[in-house]
Amino acid sequence: MPKARKSSPPATPKRRSQARRQLTAQELSELAPIPETLRPGLDVLFVGINPGVVSGQKQLHFGNPQNYFWKGLFESELIPEAVRPEDGRRLSAEWNMSIVNLVQRTTPSTSDLSRREMRAAVPELCRKITSNPPRVVCFVGKGIYEAFVGHTGFALGLQDDVYDLGAELETQPEHLPPLRRPDSPSEAPFAYLFVMPSTSGRTAAYQNPEKRQYFCQLKYVRDCAARQPDSAPIDHARLAALGPQVRSRYFKRQ
């Protein structure tokens, strides 16, 4: 009896990752900054560090599908429905929040940004905040706030200092934002400052359930800020109850 022929295995298609070509430094430099929508009176102004390759190519804030940012907004009820990065314009148009980046240029990794470049971008960020006063400024990543204030002596969450919206930027020391305590004698308006972990999928120190708790804290701060001056100040005990109860060893405890 003749032996049965063995059928050859089907051809395996090339993996998408093999066909994907990395952009050259020249191509990265030619990517335009992601458009920003600013106006006075925003409930929250989010500050990202800079566009990654996916975001830069798509011209979308937090455009990588592995990024938790848009999911965090919905799961914390900062926005009433789930949206994709492609629908990001609704954040400003419908929910009175917006996004800017500290550094505008696109890089494969945030490690491609030097400390000097980040610090040099702080005055322009201050001009954006002062010219378009928001109620809350949220820094989406600990390293962004480190560059902003020039030190590491802070914990994640609501900061002790506020941004003084009445300060003259021209009188500020170079690269330092106008900060003050909320209970200082000044009656000038201010913006709360909030720091959360990076929402990038590469951030291993905090997982998404813990990141969501920071988004929940931010929602409480936003709601309190929107009601002031007609309501009681922020209840810090309630704020702490909304956040993570066990802090990662990578960050200073409150």
Side-chain angles (χ1 to χ4, degrees):
M1 179 180 292
K3 295 182 178 180
R5 291 184 178 180
K6 293 182 179 181
S7 59
S8 58
T12 303
K14 289 184 179 181
R15 293 183 179 180
R16 186 178 303 175
S17 60
Q18 293 176 337
R20 184 180 301 157
R21 182 180 63 84
Q22 292 187 346
L23 297 184
T24 66
Q26 177 65 28
E27 289 171 326
L28 285 171
S29 68
E30 293 172 352
L31 292 175
I34 298 177
E36 299 175 344
T37 301
L38 288 169
R39 64 171 181 270
L42 290 169
D43 287 332
V44 182
L45 178 63
F46 291 96
V47 181
I49 186 166
N50 80 307
V53 173
V54 174
S55 295
Q57 288 181 304
K58 294 182 176 180
Q59 289 288 281
L60 298 172
H61 290 288
F62 302 104
N64 193 313
Q66 302 304 316
N67 197 294
Y68 180 70
F69 179 80
W70 297 102
K71 292 180 181 178
L73 291 178
F74 172 63
E75 292 177 359
S76 64
E77 299 182 355
L78 272 162
I79 59 176
E81 60 184 273
V83 297
R84 302 175 304 166
E86 291 79 4
D87 301 318
R89 55 183 173 75
R90 298 180 62 191
L91 190 64
S92 173
E94 300 180 27
W95 301 308
N96 202 35
M97 294 179 279
S98 197
I99 305 167
V100 298
N101 283 309
L102 175 62
V103 177
Q104 301 300 312
R105 74 181 183 97
T106 298
T107 61
S109 170
T110 57
S111 62
D112 296 313
L113 299 176
S114 68
R115 183 76 175 175
R116 176 178 297 181
E117 182 177 10
M118 294 172 64
R119 289 290 293 152
V122 170
E124 176 60 22
L125 176 59
C126 289
R127 283 190 287 272
K128 292 177 182 179
I129 296 172
T130 300
S131 301
N132 302 275
R135 294 185 175 90
V136 183
V137 182
C138 176
F139 297 82
V140 190
K142 183 172 181 279
I144 310 171
Y145 195 69
E146 286 181 2
F148 187 68
V149 296
H151 63 80
T152 61
F154 61 89
L156 295 177
L158 183 66
Q159 300 303 298
D160 294 331
D161 290 327
V162 296
Y163 187 97
D164 189 348
L165 295 168
E168 294 290 336
L169 294 182
E170 290 75 12
T171 64
Q172 290 295 117
E174 186 179 11
H175 302 328
L176 288 181
L179 305 183
R180 64 177 173 86
R181 296 287 175 168
D183 56 355
S184 67
S186 174
E187 296 182 359
F190 64 83
Y192 288 109
L193 300 172
F194 191 93
V195 184
M196 64 170 56
S198 169
T199 54
S200 169
R202 298 180 180 181
T203 302
Y206 280 79
Q207 299 303 304
N208 289 350
E210 198 167 11
K211 293 176 184 178
R212 180 171 59 246
Q213 292 178 300
Y214 284 102
F215 274 94
C216 290
Q217 284 189 319
L218 176 63
K219 180 183 182 297
Y220 174 69
V221 173
R222 180 205 65 176
D223 293 346
C224 289
R227 293 192 298 265
Q228 289 184 358
D230 300 324
S231 63
I234 291 174
D235 184 336
H236 288 271
R238 181 178 177 184
L239 181 66
L242 291 170
Q245 301 306 303
V246 178
R247 293 299 175 89
S248 165
R249 66 183 176 87
Y250 295 99
F251 296 95
K252 175 183 173 182
R253 296 179 63 90
Q254 285 185 336

